[in-house]
Amino acid sequence: MTWFKREAEVISRPEIEQMVQQTIDEAKQRLGLTELKRVLLLPPDLTRAHSGAGWITERFYQLLDAEGAEVHLIPTLGQHVPHTPEQNQWMFGSIPEERIHKHDWKNGVVNVGTVPAEFVREKTGGAVDWEMPVDLNSMLIEEQWDIVINIGHVVPHEVLGFANHNKNYFIGLGGKRLLGASHMASAVYGIENNLGNLLTPVRACFNYAEEHFLGDLKDVYFQVVMDYDDAGKLVHTGVYVGDDLETYFDAARASRDQNITQFDEPVQKIVAVMQADEFHATWVANKAVYRTRMAIADGGDLLVIAPGVERFGEQPEVDALIRKYGYLPKDEVLELYKTEADMQDIPHGTAHLVHGSSEGRFTITYAPGHLSKEDIEGVGYQYMDVEEAQKRYDPAVMKDGFNTMPDGEVVFYISTPSAGLWSTKAKLAQRATHEQHV
């Protein structure tokens, strides 16, 4: 059930920190414990740092540590590159490095069950007919915790409709087989059928897994929702704390209302900026593609300014896969997937090729900090020099929304693409939806 929630135009940091303490107090009360002796914190990785998840996690640690609890932390990386100690300090502040553990998605997982192929087939409307082996972080499963506290930002997402909640477990702490099966299922079902839907097929599969395989796990979700204030700054507008699906739905409904920008007509050109301290690979910087694709006109252009991008994939084998095949339309990828062993070996990477494609509908231009023109054009994108892009579309001058440049060019500028979803009203209305099951 939802333990408590707070919604307002702006929720301050002191107010959120008070809710952190309230969560700890209620956890002890609900579990019938006078103290929490051993606690696991599961925050997102640094690509969600703008949500304040780092300092929220640090506050949980400080309060629990002051009470004498043994507190551990696993950033829910999925298959992203583990944080360096410097990145941990940047995001999580004073939490000791020895209490922060790296998720090993290949060798550090154990199987807790399987989502049956029949269930997957039903939820995808017959589009997918494979099972999902639920392999999860062994530290989560094999060690004893008084409570597991999930911390995160609920925002539109390309696989699960909205991020966070049990995504922390099944993507963030998932193994290779689960990551591959779930990402490929989302790609086959269609990224635009997932974005901003409360209940996607993969989310339904994860809900099945949570109910059947994690029923004995004592946990709670501390979720935030953010929106832009009148000055164009991202602020917290909702905090949702609880231990069930309704807690997710509460937050996701708020995010749906606040974080989806709808257009009457498609936009000809969008300029999106991916922050250098958060986004180092197109694997994550392509959120700019995912979150804007439903707003861009046929024949339009998306410019992604990504000064921190230095590679394509998060691992060498995924980077090599992207360089080999490039970003391709879904039908081409699925045809290749039938015969190509490297695609079959890392299906989460194969799914990424689909997610990052415009399906030939619009042009994607990248202005990366550390990849060459040849690199970018080699994967099917167009290239722009990052200094030229930053000079023309100066973040200090551009405002979120429509901007008219000195030469008359009209562009829609987005400073934080990962914080929302942009779409025409028609695209939102015409896609498949499973929300009748909510």
Side-chain angles (χ1 to χ4, degrees):
M1 60 179 292
T2 301
W3 294 5
F4 63 90
K5 65 180 180 181
R6 172 79 191 283
E7 296 175 324
E9 288 189 7
V10 179
I11 303 175
S12 69
R13 179 166 176 167
E15 289 174 302
I16 292 174
E17 291 182 341
Q18 185 277 325
M19 285 182 269
V20 169
Q21 181 66 67
Q22 184 179 349
T23 301
I24 295 170
D25 294 341
E26 290 211 20
K28 288 186 287 190
Q29 179 183 346
R30 291 171 184 275
L31 295 172
L33 300 173
T34 56
E35 60 180 345
L36 298 173
K37 295 181 180 179
R38 205 159 186 272
V39 179
L40 180 62
L41 304 177
L42 301 181
D45 68 8
L46 58 82
T47 62
R48 308 275 184 195
H50 59 270
S51 69
W55 60 257
I56 293 171
T57 303
E58 181 184 25
R59 190 58 180 157
F60 267 112
Y61 184 92
Q62 290 170 341
L63 292 172
L64 288 161
D65 182 64
E67 293 183 6
E70 179 188 341
V71 188
H72 294 265
L73 162 65
I74 310 176
T76 52
L77 296 163
Q79 48 73 54
H80 291 182
V81 173
H83 295 175
T84 64
E86 291 76 21
Q87 287 171 329
N88 279 332
Q89 186 177 35
W90 175 75
M91 184 163 180
F92 302 119
S94 61
I95 300 178
E97 178 67 19
E98 62 269 18
R99 292 295 180 91
I100 304 176
H101 306 273
K102 296 177 181 178
H103 172 58
D104 182 350
W105 63 292
K106 291 182 177 178
N107 304 305
V109 298
V110 295
N111 182 261
V112 298
T114 299
V115 179
E118 295 77 16
F119 187 87
V120 180
R121 185 183 305 114
E122 175 195 343
K123 294 304 177 184
T124 59
V128 171
D129 61 357
W130 53 73
E131 65 184 25
M132 290 188 185
V134 183
D135 303 332
L136 298 178
N137 184 282
S138 55
M139 188 173 177
L140 168 73
I141 299 301
E142 294 178 344
E143 298 191 26
Q144 295 297 313
W145 307 102
D146 288 334
I147 196 165
V148 178
I149 302 175
N150 288 276
I151 301 144
H153 182 196
V154 177
V155 65
H157 189 266
E158 53 278 2
V159 174
L160 293 169
F162 290 86
N164 201 235
H165 200 258
N166 57 29
K167 174 182 182 287
N168 274 18
Y169 295 132
F170 303 111
I171 297 293
L173 296 184
K176 179 180 178 180
R177 295 190 301 170
L178 179 56
L179 290 168
S182 57
H183 278 79
M184 200 64 194
S186 77
V188 173
Y189 185 71
I191 183 173
E192 293 185 10
N193 292 326
N194 295 318
L195 283 157
N197 270 338
L198 295 179
L199 185 61
T200 67
V202 175
R203 172 73 73 178
C205 292
F206 288 174
N207 293 345
Y208 175 100
E210 183 174 22
E211 178 184 353
H212 286 79
F213 311 132
L214 297 183
D216 294 333
L217 191 67
K218 296 171 182 175
D219 60 4
V220 64
Y221 296 98
F222 189 101
Q223 304 175 129
V224 300
V225 170
M226 305 185 78
D227 196 6
Y228 292 97
D229 65 11
D230 293 340
K233 179 184 176 183
L234 269 176
V235 295
H236 292 97
T237 56
V239 177
Y240 305 82
V241 179
D243 59 5
D244 69 349
L245 272 177
E246 194 53 42
T247 309
Y248 159 74
F249 286 129
D250 269 355
R253 290 185 190 105
S255 177
R256 182 181 60 185
D257 293 343
Q258 297 174 40
N259 301 147
I260 300 180
T261 301
Q262 299 186 41
F263 300 93
D264 291 324
E265 300 293 334
V267 181
Q268 193 63 37
K269 181 163 184 174
I270 292 179
V271 176
V273 176
M274 304 308 289
Q275 288 69 31
D277 51 6
E278 295 184 38
F279 301 98
H280 304 289
T282 59
W283 180 277
V284 287
N286 269 0
K287 289 182 186 296
V289 180
Y290 313 154
R291 307 296 177 78
T292 64
R293 62 184 304 124
M294 296 171 69
I296 300 174
D298 291 355
D301 184 38
L302 168 65
L303 171 62
V304 184
I305 302 176
V309 164
E310 59 189 18
R311 58 186 183 272
F312 293 108
E314 289 285 274
Q315 305 84 33
E317 63 269 29
V318 174
D319 192 83
L321 190 83
I322 298 169
R323 289 176 182 271
K324 178 179 178 180
Y325 295 103
Y327 291 99
L328 298 171
K330 181 172 76 171
D331 290 345
E332 291 184 41
V333 171
L334 295 182
E335 194 61 33
L336 288 166
Y337 185 65
K338 295 176 182 176
T339 59
E340 300 301 317
D342 53 356
M343 281 191 167
Q344 295 167 4
D345 183 56
I346 44 175
H348 69 284
T350 303
H352 173 73
L353 303 182
V354 177
H355 288 163
S357 168
S358 73
E359 297 288 325
R361 208 172 54 72
F362 57 90
T363 299
I364 300 171
T365 302
Y366 245 90
H370 310 282
L371 288 173
S372 70
K373 184 174 188 286
E374 291 72 25
D375 288 332
I376 293 298
E377 293 180 347
V379 300
Y381 292 160
Q382 295 190 8
Y383 176 85
M384 185 175 186
D385 178 77
V386 68
E387 292 184 4
E388 178 187 346
Q390 290 174 318
K391 182 177 179 181
R392 177 169 177 78
Y393 306 104
D394 184 353
V397 176
M398 302 291 286
K399 303 296 183 184
D400 277 280
F402 284 106
N403 293 252
T404 301
M405 309 309 294
D407 61 2
E409 181 190 35
V410 177
V411 303
F412 191 88
Y413 180 80
I414 305 173
S415 63
T416 314
S418 55
L421 173 65
W422 290 259
S423 176
T424 62
K425 293 177 181 177
K427 284 270 189 183
L428 287 174
Q430 71 190 22
R431 67 203 180 147
T433 176
H434 281 241
E435 291 188 17
Q436 64 268 29
H437 300 301
V438 176

